[in-house]
Amino acid sequence: PRGLRVADRGFLNTAVLRSEITYIDGDNGGWFVRGYPIEQLAIHSSHLETAYLLIYGSLPTKTQFDVWQKEVMHHSVVHADAEQFFRSFRYDAHPMAILTSAFAYLGSYYSEANPSLQGQNIFTKGDKRSLALMDKQIYRLIGKATTLAAMAYRVRQGRQFVTPPTGLSYAGSFLYQMDHLGEEKYRPNPVLERALDVLFLLHADHELNASATTVLQTGSSLVDPYSAIAAGCASLYGPLHGGANEAVIRMLISIGKPENVPAFIEAVKKREKVLSGFGHRVYKTSDPRSFIVRKTADEVFKVTGKDELLETAMALHEAAMKDEYFVSRKLAPNVDFCGLIYRAMGFPLDFFPVLFVVPRVVGWLAHWRQMMLQDGGVKIWRPRQIYVGAGKRDYVQLAERV
Ligand code: SDX
């Protein structure tokens, strides 16, 4: 086909749509959520308030936020049958495999939100009823994300599931379900609760990252939002994306003491190892989230005590930031050193990507909603290719092949 141009590898320089949601200033290390700098939101806002901003485009009034919070928290409960679904996994199943499946499973409860059963887009701009139906799926997916994550955590420990509590914050309810030991007096530590909420806020969106693109690619066929979110979850699972926060800790454990850092750096330069937690497709000076992660880590370590890997992480950071190999490739720390905080808070290592998915459901839904309501309706994403394979040739019988 004429006029086709092959996008650079990995869509390096390809914009597939126009969006009003997030702007990343890669050259100056800035991230703006509907125009608000992430640094201001991290100080003044909460994950749920920023979630409203991401999805609906403006900071909520008090009434709007109260309704939003009530709806999301009300929809955090999962049908009791889900227990059998979670119990069907082996004890050592990776929680991301469980969570990816759980989102698609969740969709099987809500046929009214499944365009595949109606053969058309049921979410149309300006139609109050269909917008209310869309909002309900958004409440359900954000509300239930914490519960599904907590269930994936507890099924691996062979522990009872915990019904989402009332009266706690989004992060507080999640921590309660994760670590609730049956005592009614249990309440999350306020410093750790705020730290997790800030980390949720930092992970809520990030423009068209690989998983958000996956959600849109999948959602463009008008599949239900639960299946599209499950696809995004699968994409985020990979170590080049959301799995990097787990890979960072495995990397630091493999390095061990700070004196082993120079040898590791040399191995990275020889491409024998990857420096997880460094580099970013868009940020070419610094990832603004890494500074907020650093500040949050200082707060958390005051409560939990310092992580013994911290020294190694600092030594690695210092060595990489002054080494020509990394400087020339504009590699700086990204958001994924937050794994040190998750480790200090006692989360199991393979659970870290789950802590990325829970908040990122918000960004995925913001982009999905924007696509579903765009002017002119949804167009299926179907890129082309430049064919460089064999020319036309005739079939050869098996007996004649040599
Ligand atoms: C996230 O897109 C998003 O916004 C993602 C995210 C979000 O919020 O959704 O920010 C979350 O995924 C953060 C990134 C987490 N991943 C990691 O930390 C894994 C390690 N990082 C690399 O895999 C890499 O930096 C990527 C995947 C993040 C970015 O890869 P790109 O943009 O395709 O860059 P590249 O691989 O082309 O790298 C350019 C050069 C290459 O060297 P040359 O071949 O040109 O000589 O830099 C090198 C790469 O080899 N390089 C690295 C490196 N990252 C890039 N070398 C060593 N260690 C690294 N971490």
Side-chain angles (χ1 to χ4, degrees), residues 9-10 12 24 31 202-203 205-212 236 238-245 247-248 268-269 271 273-284 287 289 325-326 329-331 334-336 356 360:
R9 243 164 27 101
L12 258 176
I24 300 178
W31 169 24
L202 280 188
H203 284 84
D205 184 51
H206 213 234
E207 199 217 62
L208 278 198
N209 52 81
S211 51
L236 192 135
L240 290 188
H241 188 13
N245 57 18
V248 164
V268 170
K269 289 156 74 172
R271 297 166 192 267
K273 302 257 183 197
V274 169
L275 179 48
S276 288
F278 266 70
H280 197 276
R281 173 59 60 80
V282 181
Y283 291 124
K284 293 309 170 195
D287 183 333
R289 299 170 296 180
Y325 180 91
F326 302 97
R329 290 169 173 79
K330 299 181 178 170
L331 300 177
N334 55 46
V335 71
D336 288 303
F356 194 145
R360 187 51 62 91

Side-chain angles (χ1 to χ4, degrees), residues 139-157:
Y139 300 147
R140 283 172 170 153
L141 274 158
I142 298 175
K144 294 173 191 346
T146 51
T147 310
L148 298 178
M151 292 174 87
Y153 174 77
R154 295 179 74 97
V155 78
R156 302 240 316 229
Q157 298 176 317

Side-chain angles (χ1 to χ4, degrees), residues 34-92:
R34 300 278 188 178
Y36 295 95
I38 190 62
E39 293 81 1
Q40 293 184 23
L41 294 169
I43 295 168
H44 303 297
S45 188
S46 67
H47 174 59
L48 267 196
E49 183 184 72
T50 299
Y52 184 98
L53 171 65
L54 275 162
I55 291 171
Y56 298 107
S58 55
L59 286 169
T61 61
K62 170 106 179 53
T63 314
Q64 287 169 330
F65 181 73
D66 290 348
V67 170
W68 167 249
Q69 185 174 43
K70 181 174 147 292
E71 289 292 352
V72 167
M73 298 312 286
H74 169 71
H75 285 284
S76 58
V77 179
V78 171
H79 195 289
D81 288 358
E83 296 210 9
Q84 302 157 37
F85 171 80
F86 278 86
R87 295 275 181 233
S88 68
F89 288 91
R90 264 171 55 112
Y91 72 93
D92 59 351

Side-chain angles (χ1 to χ4, degrees), residues 114-296:
N114 187 343
S116 310
L117 301 180
Q118 281 131 82
Q120 58 179 5
N121 187 355
I122 53 178
F123 303 114
T124 34
K125 195 171 183 172
D127 169 12
K128 265 208 166 69
R129 202 193 58 76
S130 85
L131 288 178
L133 181 67
M134 175 184 263
D135 284 347
K136 196 155 182 196
Q137 312 325 308
I138 290 172
Y139 300 147
R140 283 172 170 153
L141 274 158
I142 298 175
K144 294 173 191 346
T146 51
T147 310
L148 298 178
M151 292 174 87
Y153 174 77
R154 295 179 74 97
V155 78
R156 302 240 316 229
Q157 298 176 317
R159 285 164 67 184
Q160 295 301 320
F161 297 123
V162 177
T163 307
T166 51
L168 292 185
S169 71
Y170 189 75
S173 166
F174 175 61
L175 287 171
Y176 181 97
Q177 293 180 71
M178 292 285 291
D179 292 331
H180 172 54
L181 302 175
E183 298 95 15
E184 282 320 302
K185 69 176 184 314
Y186 174 87
R187 289 191 69 80
N189 173 302
V191 173
L192 301 186
E193 183 178 343
R194 176 61 188 155
L196 189 62
D197 194 64
V198 170
L199 290 173
F200 276 178
L201 185 156
L202 280 188
H203 284 84
D205 184 51
H206 213 234
E207 199 217 62
L208 278 198
N209 52 81
S211 51
T213 307
T214 305
V215 170
L216 294 182
Q217 172 78 53
T218 309
S220 75
S221 72
L222 294 187
V223 75
D224 66 281
Y226 301 87
S227 305
I229 294 294
C233 192
S235 167
L236 192 135
Y237 190 178
L240 290 188
H241 188 13
N245 57 18
E246 175 182 350
V248 164
I249 299 300
R250 293 190 193 284
M251 169 189 73
L252 292 173
I253 293 169
S254 73
I255 295 170
K257 298 211 173 317
E259 49 267 33
N260 301 333
V261 163
F264 178 79
I265 289 284
E266 288 315 306
V268 170
K269 289 156 74 172
K270 285 190 221 125
R271 297 166 192 267
E272 292 157 5
K273 302 257 183 197
V274 169
L275 179 48
S276 288
F278 266 70
H280 197 276
R281 173 59 60 80
V282 181
Y283 291 124
K284 293 309 170 195
T285 45
S286 60
D287 183 333
R289 299 170 296 180
S290 62
F291 304 111
I292 302 166
V293 166
R294 182 74 176 269
K295 245 172 66 229
T296 307

